[in-house]
């Protein structure tokens, strides 16, 4: 059984960003909260919206930082310090340009891969040793187009693939908590939304 005590989803606050690809991490945390019928509430001391899920002996906190992407670490570090949560007990969900829509991958540690939210979390926690749930959004093909792409909305078909993937990813979070990283990865990495369309 893996001890995951904090599930973080990355995104940007505000209605103008809610449907944009960069908010894939928010979508996952919102979906996970719905699954357990909890609602995320603003919590100023953690610079975001939080919820708590109790599963047996496990106390799982959910967090969506409301500081904009490049300051994501502020809320993560504040909540982790307050509840004495170690980096290896944190799972961060976020959008990944290097994976196609309809796929997601789990891993532990590593660099920021150019993702500003992850970069700030590593800096604020002083450690890269947290778990990552990377939700594929695809790549626009050229570096110069990335900002517009991540802050844009996906076409309906791609969005449906991402929604399906997030549902599977929620199941993987459960497997990570109930069993281990290997079980969670086996479930998630075998799923491809497009192949079923």
């Amino acid at each position: 059984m893996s001890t995951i005590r904090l599930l973080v989803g990355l995104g940007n606050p505000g209605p103008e960003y809610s449907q944009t690809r960069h908010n894939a991490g928010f979508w996952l945390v919102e979906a996970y909260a719905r699954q357990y019928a909890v609602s995320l509430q603003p919590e100023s001391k953690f610079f975001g919206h939080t919820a708590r899920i109790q599963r047996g002996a496990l106390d799982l906190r959910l967090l969506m930082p409301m500081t904009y992407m490049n300051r994501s670490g502020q809320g993560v570090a504040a909540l982790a310090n307050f509840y004495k949560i170690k980096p290896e007990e944190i799972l961060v969900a976020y959008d990944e340009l290097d994976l196609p829509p309809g796929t997601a991958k789990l891993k532990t540690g590593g660099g920021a891969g150019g993702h500003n939210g992850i970069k700030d979390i590593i800096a604020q926690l002083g450690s890269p040793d947290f778990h990552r749930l990377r939700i594929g959004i695809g790549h626009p093909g050229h570096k110069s187009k990335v900002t517009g792409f991540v802050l844009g909305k996906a076409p309906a078909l791609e969005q449906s693939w991402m929604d399906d993937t997030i549902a599977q990813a929620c199941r993987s979070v459960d497997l990570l908590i109930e069993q281990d990283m290997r079980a969670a990865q086996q479930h998630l990495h075998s799923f491809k939304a497009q192949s079923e369309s």
Side-chain angles (χ1 to χ4, degrees):
M1 185 161 164
S2 296
T3 312
I4 298 295
R5 297 175 55 209
L6 172 57
L7 173 61
V8 181
L10 300 188
N12 285 309
E16 69 273 31
Y17 293 111
S18 66
Q19 300 303 310
T20 64
R21 293 178 178 94
H22 220 15
N23 276 33
F26 275 11
W27 303 340
L28 178 115
V29 167
E30 287 164 344
Y32 199 76
R34 278 196 301 275
Q35 184 178 304
Y36 286 95
V38 298
S39 61
L40 290 131
Q41 302 293 336
E43 180 65 81
S44 59
K45 72 180 171 196
F46 301 137
F47 308 97
H49 292 178
T50 69
R52 178 185 178 198
I53 296 170
Q54 284 188 284
R55 303 183 49 192
L58 179 74
D59 214 1
L60 178 68
R61 304 277 163 179
L62 309 184
L63 172 68
M64 299 192 328
M66 291 290 151
T67 44
Y68 290 100
M69 191 63 85
N70 59 356
R71 302 277 305 285
S72 296
Q74 192 178 5
V76 176
L79 195 151
N81 290 337
F82 187 84
Y83 291 111
K84 312 261 187 297
I85 296 172
K86 302 184 197 105
E88 57 270 27
E89 297 174 324
I90 300 171
L91 174 62
V92 181
Y94 60 99
D95 57 302
E96 175 58 78
L97 285 157
D98 293 334
L99 293 174
T103 61
K105 301 274 184 210
L106 273 163
K107 68 170 192 168
T108 303
H115 195 288
N116 290 333
I118 295 298
K119 202 181 294 179
D120 194 56
I121 293 171
I122 292 171
Q124 295 283 345
L125 290 177
S127 168
D129 295 337
F130 51 92
H131 306 290
R132 330 282 175 90
L133 173 47
R134 298 151 59 219
I135 300 159
I137 61 167
H139 198 287
H142 195 275
K143 214 161 66 171
S144 65
K145 296 180 180 167
V146 163
T147 303
F149 182 80
V150 298
L151 295 178
K153 286 167 109 164
L157 181 60
E158 282 182 23
Q159 186 64 53
S160 74
W161 292 342
M162 287 190 276
D163 293 343
D164 290 348
T165 305
I166 283 168
Q168 297 298 323
C170 286
R171 177 70 192 121
S172 291
V173 174
D174 283 339
L175 286 168
L176 179 57
I177 291 166
E178 292 157 12
Q179 296 180 37
D180 55 25
M181 177 60 90
R182 190 155 168 253
Q185 286 175 326
Q186 277 177 337
H187 176 80
L188 190 59
H189 297 181
S190 62
F191 177 76
K192 294 269 188 301
Q194 301 100 306
S195 62
E196 297 183 359
S197 59

